[in-house]
Amino acid sequence: MRIYLDDERATPEGWTRAYWPDEVIELLKLGGVEEVSLDHDLGEDERGTGYDVVLWVEEAVALHGFVPPRMRVHSANSSAREKMEAGIRAIERLREQRQPSR
């Protein structure tokens, strides 16, 4: 499954639409997610932002050995995009540290 988190843009073909971070997190918990594409600003800040998904994945990888899907950001908010991409890089570093040595 490929998840597309956004409140306005059209969902690309082959992606599952989510409007809120908690929807994405529930799908991640179920497993089978191959890729996530995240927008930051979702219209109602009290319901969260795409960055909340990044934070959840980072914690799940660090504390529970969660295997993250491919992650990318499609937000037009440039400062939020940078923050989210930094979080994704941190997740990738954590994942590499948890992989067994060969």
Side-chain angles (χ1 to χ4, degrees):
M1 175 186 311
R2 295 161 66 191
I3 303 171
Y4 191 78
L5 176 65
D6 201 292
D7 62 324
E8 293 182 349
R9 293 173 187 85
T11 307
E13 189 172 329
W15 292 74
T16 298
R17 175 63 164 262
Y19 290 92
W20 304 112
D22 59 332
E23 295 173 317
V24 177
I25 290 167
E26 287 306 312
L27 291 169
L28 288 167
K29 288 177 181 178
L30 292 173
V33 176
E34 298 173 13
E35 187 171 4
V36 177
S37 185
L38 303 168
D39 186 17
H40 182 271
D41 303 318
L42 301 170
E44 293 184 38
D45 286 346
E46 61 274 2
R47 294 257 346 237
T49 68
Y51 187 58
D52 294 315
V53 175
V54 174
L55 292 175
W56 183 89
V57 171
E58 185 175 16
E59 180 177 317
V61 171
L63 299 180
H64 307 291
F66 178 74
V67 178
R70 286 184 306 275
M71 299 178 71
R72 61 181 168 143
V73 180
H74 64 263
S75 180
N77 180 330
S78 60
S79 61
R81 170 189 283 274
E82 288 177 24
K83 179 172 70 169
M84 292 170 71
E85 288 174 344
I88 291 169
R89 286 190 300 273
I91 290 165
E92 290 168 353
R93 284 191 301 273
L94 281 170
R95 186 185 65 215
E96 289 170 5
Q97 290 172 1
R98 292 196 170 275
Q99 290 179 345
S101 300
R102 296 180 187 206

